Amino acid sequence: MRHRCRTPHLGLPADQRKALLRALTTSLLREGQVKTTRARAKAVRSEVERIITLAKEGSLPARRRAMAYVYDKQLVHAIFASAADRYGDRAGGYTRILRTVPRRGDNSEMAIIELV
């Protein structure tokens, strides 16, 4: 049963799936946008929004939770410094998923996930 399972399995074991989502979250926060499959983009959206919500809170425990998830320590400091200015008036919805053309090799649905 898949009742109450929030994250799709993405065809990976749990440790590889968690590492993939952490890496995608880190690169999305660093670059601003990432091109990936649509299923991965939907899965990483909740993780990125959670990190940005922690950055808006700005407390020390929130910073430690973000550092435990994001791979780059300096990136966490930069996000915490700029999140209140950039997303202060926004109550959620920090990312946007744009569908693109299917991938040529296996016709997989591709998407670009970007920060708003």
Side-chain angles (χ1 to χ4, degrees), residues 3 7-9 19 35 43 58 63 66 76 86 92 102 109:
H3 304 304
T7 308
H9 291 164
K35 182 177 180 183
R63 187 178 296 257
V76 172
R86 188 169 177 184
E109 294 181 353

Side-chain angles (χ1 to χ4, degrees), residues 94-113:
Y94 311 114
T95 58
R96 174 186 304 133
I97 295 178
L98 304 170
R99 295 172 66 176
T100 60
V101 296
R103 187 163 49 196
R104 185 171 178 205
D106 59 355
N107 204 27
S108 177
E109 294 181 353
M110 298 299 286
I112 296 174
I113 181 168

